[in-house]
């Protein structure tokens, strides 16, 4: 009996999460290019909200963390803190070449590399910056994978957060 | 920044520090604001920058001149063309090369399109801070038109890579010019509407008229630049004071307002969009024929060059030193926001906390991430607000 | 006033402290002065309402070439006047100009953290860009700086 209840609630939660994911955005060192494109996805031409996506400010209510930029020394700790404050299950999307790998800033003294050096990442959206369509596509792909029996697995960079 | 800023100790009693941020105030970096307040009145304001400090200036010293073009373009995704252009102008000066006239004109066209996109972006964000989301959505919807034009010309919406050392990368065909003109017609109509809104909408005026006044004397003393200075009646515009490339032949008009309040800052920017539209039309009509690129040497002769460009937010300043190799010895970048940041912090003292979001926004710090972030400062009696909480606080106060 | 007249005026204002001058471009004037005279020179420009301070550039050419320098760039219209101060590697020090130009504070903080120049009497000596855990004595824009160890994982 309780098994069935669990199954149903789990199904219900996934349904809710897929249909209305709450997203928090964090810039850990980006040039703003990616950020304005993320903001553009929310505006009338692209209207990400039609997928139920809601951008909001508190990590404690968020399902998805959308990251832009390489991780700078200062931002690293905050990024980890936000990630930890998010409730399980949580998903991380790295938007832009910088978030994917450090991009042009790889090798700068205050830059630690891509997001996956610090926290696990589920979806990578390359581009400098990626077009709003690409960002939407990435988020939707991530969400639809949750319904499949084998959802995407997070990837952690080589040094596993010790960078 | 006139008074020495001490480390704030929260005394027992009514004063609270409200650290806010990091939000996105600078081209290079978001910052972490700390406001000391007494009740609703701001007593002191400080900022800590550097969350986005990546160490670009150092990195330029280990990359060659061409690689640096792409690196520096990514200092800021909003005025990327400005940075690439200022840098190119500096390097061209060192090499004794001048970009061909057609390239100069195309640089200016892209720069003015960028100004339109940046100002419209700002208009939306500022409206959002005021709780006026309708205007936010409208201006961002219309801004897509500029993005389309930039994409039409360059192939990318942001970071257009228009510049190469010695010229530009793409031409503007007559068909493209026609499309750009069509887009500008649409924008012009919309822009007239915005000017009407920011001059007449009673609700918006309630939050911007007479708020955050900076007199001309203050603006000069504190060193405001760009639209922030021009809204206080300071006649300062690099395009006019020290014309570069095609601005020598196609002068923009100086746009100033005298009130020095937030309303004036809105109006200056909206009117600048109008001026940019006029300038682009003019340039498209008189696009000089000829080459797009002048030949550049790979090794840049030793020397020092200074280049200045009017970015959407004010003067961008580059100092480039070459030691005769293919890698610069030093590139110093001074972005406009750091300048205006200092003015705004001095301005804040004595004002209402509820007005802070709008006042910070008024200088057009780089934006992108309004709904950002949150940190708790573990000091006793210090409260941490997120930017959003501050924004909502402002809106609530004005609803009363 | 034309740009040349402006430059002329600046040259006259700065004459008492000038050690040498150069004109790298026709709109520019480089004036070499002593660090100790910085306050007076800046006050002279400011007193005559000559332009504004647009940036302070730190420069490290290495000990064999120009050494450590601080460049104060002033702008008046199209004219750019640069006050050039040479500094020793051993305890480089400049006086703060914030008393005259309040807007210099950010620039001085940047100069201090990036080049290890002590700015005497600057109103706020805190770091501006570098992280709290940045090691003391590492100045990223010095030529001898190569890299710092990565911060500890927690
Ligand atoms: S990927 Fe490109 S646009 Fe995005 S933050 Fe990096 S440099 Fe900027």
């Amino acid at each position: 009996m309780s098994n069935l209840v669990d199954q149903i609630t789990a199904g219900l939660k996934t349904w809710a999460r897929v249909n209305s994911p709450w997203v928090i955005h964090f810039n850990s060192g980006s040039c703003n290019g990616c950020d304005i494109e993320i903001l553009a996805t929310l505006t009338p031409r692209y209207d990400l909200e039609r997928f139920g996506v809601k951008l909001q400010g508190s990590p404690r209510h968020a399902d998805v963390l959308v990251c832009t930029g390489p991780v700078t020394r200062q931002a690293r700790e905050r990024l980890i803190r936000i990630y930890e404050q998010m409730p399980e299950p949580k998903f991380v999307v790295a938007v832009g070449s910088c978030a994917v790998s450090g991009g042009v800033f790889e090798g700068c003294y205050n830059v630690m590399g891509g997001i996956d050096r610090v926290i696990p990442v589920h979806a990578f959206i390359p581009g400098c910056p990626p077009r709003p369509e690409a960002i939407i596509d990435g988020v939707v792909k991530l969400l639809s994978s949750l319904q499949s029996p084998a959802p995407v697995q997070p990837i952690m960079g080589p040094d596993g957060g010790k960078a | 920044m006139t008074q020495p800023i001490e480390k704030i100790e929260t005394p027992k009693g009514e004063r609270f520090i409200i650290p806010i941020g990091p939000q996105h105030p600078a081209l290079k970096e978001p910052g972490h604001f700390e406001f000391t307040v007494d009740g609703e009145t701001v007593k002191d304001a400080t900022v800590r920058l550097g969350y986005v400090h990546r160490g670009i200036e150092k990195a330029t010293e280990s990359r060659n001149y061409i690689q640096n073009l792409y690196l520096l373009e990514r200092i800021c995704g909003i005025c990327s063309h400005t940075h690439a252009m200022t840098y190119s102008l500096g390097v061209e000066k060192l090499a004794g090369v001048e970009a061909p006239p057609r390239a100069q004109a195309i640089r200016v066209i892209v720069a003015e399109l960028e100004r339109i996109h940046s100002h419209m972006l700002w208009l939306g964000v500022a409206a959002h801070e005021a709780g006026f989301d309708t205007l936010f959505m409208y201006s961002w919807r219309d801004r897509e038109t500029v993005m389309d034009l930039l994409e039409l010309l360059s192939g990318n919406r942001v970071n257009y890579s228009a510049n190469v050392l010695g010229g530009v990368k793409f031409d503007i065909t007559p068909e493209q010019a026609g499309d750009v003109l069509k887009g500008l017609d649409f924008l012009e109509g919309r822009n007239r509407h915005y000017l009407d809104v920011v001059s007449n909408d009673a609700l918006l005026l309630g939050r911007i008229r007479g708020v955050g006044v900076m007199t001309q004397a203050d603006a000069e003393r504190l060193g405001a630049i760009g639209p922030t200075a021009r809204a206080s009646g300071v006649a300062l515009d690099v395009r006019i004071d020290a014309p570069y490339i095609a601005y020598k032949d196609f002068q923009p008009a100086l746009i100033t307002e005298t009130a020095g309040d937030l309303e004036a800052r809105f109006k200056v920017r909206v009117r600048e969009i109008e001026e940019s539209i006029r300038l682009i039309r003019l340039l498209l009509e008189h696009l000089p024929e000829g080459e797009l690129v002048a030949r550049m040497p790979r090794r840049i002769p030793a020397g020092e060059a200074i280049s200045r460009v009017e970015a959407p937010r004010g003067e961008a300043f580059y100092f480039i030193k070459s030691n005769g190799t293919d890698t610069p010895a030093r590139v110093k970048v001074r972005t406009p926001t750091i300048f205006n940041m200092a003015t705004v912090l001095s301005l804040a003292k004595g004002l209402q906390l509820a007005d802070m979001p709008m006042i910070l926004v008024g200088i057009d710090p780089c934006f992108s991430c309004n709904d950002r972030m949150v940190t708790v400062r573990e000091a006793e009696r210090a409260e941490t607000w997120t930017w959003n909480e501050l924004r909502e606080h402002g809106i609530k106060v004005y609803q009363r | 006033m034309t740009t040349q007249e402006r430059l002329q005026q600046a040259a006259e204002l700065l004459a008492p402290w000038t050690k040498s001058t150069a004109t790298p471009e026709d709109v520019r004037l480089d004036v070499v002065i002593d660090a100790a005279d910085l306050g007076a020179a800046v006050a002279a420009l400011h007193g005559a309402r000559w332009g504004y301070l647009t940036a302070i550039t730190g420069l490290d050419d290495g000990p064999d070439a120009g050494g450590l320098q601080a460049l104060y760039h002033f702008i008046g219209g199209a004219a750019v006047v640069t006050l050039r101060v040479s500094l020793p590697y051993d305890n480089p020090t400049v006086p703060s100009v914030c008393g005259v130009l309040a807007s210099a504070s950010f620039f001085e903080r940047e100069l201090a953290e990036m080049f290890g120049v002590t700015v005497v009497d600057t109103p706020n000596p805190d770091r501006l860009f570098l992280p709290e855990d940045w090691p003391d004595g590492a100045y990223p824009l010095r030529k001898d700086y190569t890299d710092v160890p990565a911060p500890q994982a927690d």
Side-chain angles (χ1 to χ4, degrees):
Chain A
M1 181 64 202
S2 77
N3 221 339
L4 188 66
V5 173
D6 280 355
Q7 254 176 30
I8 294 176
T9 46
L12 206 61
K13 279 188 197 156
T14 307
W15 174 82
R17 192 166 293 123
V18 171
N19 279 290
S20 184
W22 284 20
V23 171
I24 182 170
H25 165 218
F26 182 65
N27 162 350
S28 57
S30 106
C31 78
N32 285 343
C34 286
D35 310 69
I36 56 177
E37 291 298 64
I38 288 178
L39 209 51
T41 60
L42 299 172
T43 55
R45 160 104 47 113
Y46 302 100
D47 196 14
L48 192 57
E49 290 190 5
R50 72 200 142 109
F51 298 107
V53 176
K54 183 169 179 281
L55 192 71
Q56 45 84 58
S58 163
R60 297 188 198 281
H61 302 154
D63 303 302
V64 181
L65 173 59
V66 173
C67 297
T68 54
V71 185
T72 64
R73 270 170 218 275
Q74 268 109 316
R76 175 175 174 273
E77 193 199 324
R78 276 163 206 272
L79 179 61
I80 295 175
R81 182 131 32 126
I82 293 176
Y83 181 73
E84 283 171 354
Q85 282 174 348
M86 287 170 63
E88 292 281 357
K90 46 195 164 189
F91 305 94
V92 178
V93 181
V95 174
S97 310
C98 293
V100 171
S101 68
V104 276
F105 304 118
E106 183 66 46
C108 292
Y109 62 78
N110 216 29
V111 166
M112 323 203 58
I115 302 288
D116 64 354
R117 288 283 184 85
V118 177
I119 55 173
V121 175
H122 294 75
F124 296 87
I125 308 178
C128 183
R131 302 178 54 89
E133 290 93 332
I135 299 176
I136 295 177
D137 187 48
V139 173
V140 168
K141 272 207 184 113
L142 167 69
L143 293 172
S144 41
S145 93
L146 300 185
Q147 284 164 319
S148 78
V152 289
Q153 292 303 311
I155 294 173
M156 190 80 204
D159 356 22
K162 294 190 186 62
Chain B
M1 309 304 292
T2 41
Q3 254 81 58
I5 299 162
E6 311 114 356
K7 281 259 176 236
I8 307 164
E9 300 273 275
T10 5
K12 292 209 185 70
E14 351 48 270
R15 281 177 151 212
F16 285 86
I17 312 169
I18 303 191
I20 295 182
Q23 200 258 343
H24 222 191
L27 298 183
K28 286 198 270 189
E29 26 272 297
H32 180 91
F33 295 98
E34 284 192 7
F35 294 113
T36 314
V37 296
D38 185 353
E40 181 59 32
T41 312
V42 174
K43 291 286 177 208
D44 200 357
T46 57
V47 66
R48 175 85 173 73
L49 302 171
Y51 295 97
V52 183
H53 178 76
R54 291 155 293 200
I56 293 181
E57 288 183 16
K58 183 74 177 181
T60 57
E61 295 171 16
S62 54
R63 303 181 187 201
N64 71 30
Y65 282 99
I66 296 171
Q67 291 170 324
N68 277 329
L69 184 61
Y70 300 95
L71 176 65
L72 292 166
E73 182 160 24
R74 281 154 183 79
I75 285 182
C76 171
I78 301 177
C79 36
S80 56
H81 179 69
T82 303
H83 284 283
M85 182 164 76
T86 321
Y87 169 75
S88 308
L89 289 175
V91 178
E92 285 160 17
K93 251 185 218 178
L94 285 171
V97 170
E98 199 173 72
R102 192 172 176 90
Q104 296 191 5
I106 293 175
R107 278 183 180 171
V108 169
I109 290 172
V110 177
E112 293 303 319
L113 283 173
E114 180 172 82
R115 193 179 317 278
I116 298 176
H117 122 69
S118 173
H119 281 358
M120 291 185 83
L121 176 140
W122 173 84
L123 180 68
V125 171
H128 172 72
E129 295 306 327
F132 193 175
D133 273 350
T134 323
L135 182 57
F136 169 40
M137 288 297 167
Y138 271 124
S139 67
W140 276 65
R141 185 199 67 182
D142 297 337
R143 177 176 161 271
E144 285 298 325
T145 311
V146 199
M147 305 309 275
D148 286 347
L149 297 183
L150 285 166
E151 188 181 357
L152 172 82
L153 298 179
S154 74
N156 205 6
R157 291 162 49 92
V158 179
N159 298 340
Y160 343 97
S161 274
N163 291 282
V164 287
L165 296 178
V168 291
K169 198 172 277 177
F170 52 79
D171 199 0
I172 298 183
T173 64
E175 299 81 61
Q176 286 174 329
D179 288 344
V180 172
L181 288 173
K182 239 179 270 159
L184 291 180
D185 289 343
F186 170 74
L187 287 171
E188 190 175 36
R190 294 304 301 164
N191 201 50
R192 252 184 243 129
H193 170 66
Y194 295 137
L195 191 58
D196 179 42
V197 171
V198 301
S199 327
N200 296 317
D201 186 278
L203 282 175
L204 185 62
L205 286 183
R207 290 213 57 187
I208 62 177
R209 183 165 282 175
V211 175
V213 179
M214 175 158 60
T215 61
Q216 184 173 347
D218 276 345
E220 278 169 3
R221 181 174 58 87
L222 299 169
I225 53 171
T228 314
R230 294 196 283 274
S232 296
V234 182
L236 212 60
D237 187 329
V238 186
R239 291 175 296 168
I240 296 161
D241 299 337
Y244 45 96
I245 52 175
Y247 290 115
K248 287 179 194 147
D249 304 319
F250 300 89
Q251 284 254 330
L254 182 72
I255 309 275
T256 54
E257 290 279 334
T258 46
D261 59 356
L262 279 169
E263 186 192 355
R265 282 168 225 159
F266 270 86
K267 280 194 186 154
V268 160
R269 291 200 176 90
V270 174
R271 288 175 50 210
E272 280 186 15
I273 297 180
E274 202 178 296
E275 182 59 20
S276 296
I277 294 177
R278 186 187 72 82
L279 214 58
I280 299 171
R281 282 198 182 127
L282 201 67
L283 276 156
L284 284 175
E285 220 171 284
H286 298 101
L287 207 56
E289 292 299 325
E291 291 294 306
L292 292 180
V293 197
R295 250 192 91 74
M296 288 285 286
R298 199 168 60 86
R299 295 182 190 284
I300 303 296
E304 295 174 354
I306 285 175
S307 52
R308 300 157 60 206
V309 159
E310 183 75 16
R313 290 160 187 74
E315 179 199 39
F317 175 97
Y318 271 58
F319 170 92
I320 305 170
K321 183 176 174 109
S322 164
N323 51 12
T325 61
D326 61 355
T327 310
R330 171 94 169 97
V331 179
K332 157 86 189 171
V333 181
R334 206 268 293 125
T335 57
T337 302
I338 191 164
F339 236 112
N340 286 328
M341 210 64 230
T343 68
V344 94
L345 292 181
S346 321
L347 211 60
K349 283 171 209 155
L351 298 178
Q352 301 296 300
L353 187 61
D355 287 329
M356 280 309 119
M358 288 301 287
I359 288 178
L360 290 173
V361 166
I363 63 166
D364 194 2
C366 261
F367 259 104
S368 13
C369 26
N370 277 288
D371 289 318
R372 285 257 314 291
M373 246 292 330
V374 215
T375 319
V376 186
R377 223 183 78 122
E378 289 90 9
E380 310 122 82
R381 313 220 45 194
E383 277 178 44
T384 299
W385 288 15
T386 65
W387 179 262
N388 213 26
E389 280 166 344
L390 179 68
R391 169 179 165 263
E392 274 159 16
H393 172 74
I395 294 172
K396 232 180 279 150
V397 166
Y398 274 91
Q399 275 169 350
R400 286 191 208 127
Chain C
M1 211 187 328
T2 67
T3 305
Q4 291 313 317
E5 283 163 8
R6 276 183 204 260
L7 290 173
Q8 185 59 38
Q9 189 196 3
E12 282 160 17
L13 286 167
L14 296 169
W17 307 282
T18 303
K19 288 165 63 186
S20 67
T21 62
T23 331
E25 273 175 67
D26 22 313
V27 296
R28 276 174 60 194
L29 175 71
D30 271 20
V31 179
V32 179
I33 61 171
D34 275 332
D37 297 332
L38 203 54
V42 170
L45 286 178
H46 183 72
R49 300 182 54 108
W50 200 100
Y52 60 94
L53 176 69
T54 194
I56 301 177
T57 304
L59 201 57
D60 179 7
D61 287 342
D64 308 329
L68 207 56
Q69 297 175 51
L71 273 48
Y72 291 65
H73 307 284
F74 287 81
I75 286 187
V80 184
V81 168
T82 302
L83 302 181
R84 205 176 261 274
V85 178
S86 278
L87 300 167
Y89 280 100
D90 180 26
N91 190 21
T93 310
V94 291
S96 168
V97 297
C98 285
V100 186
L101 300 168
S103 54
S105 171
F106 279 176
F107 301 149
E108 293 184 344
R109 285 166 73 179
E110 195 179 348
L111 182 70
E113 66 181 355
M114 295 295 170
F115 287 92
V117 175
T118 312
V119 185
V120 180
D121 289 335
T122 190
N124 184 353
D126 287 355
R127 282 186 182 141
L128 184 63
F129 292 125
L130 294 178
E132 304 294 345
D133 63 358
W134 191 264
D136 284 332
Y139 304 116
L141 287 181
R142 289 260 191 116
K143 284 283 185 245
D144 58 9
Y145 171 86
T146 42
D147 209 348
V148 290
Q152 295 301 303
D154 30 29

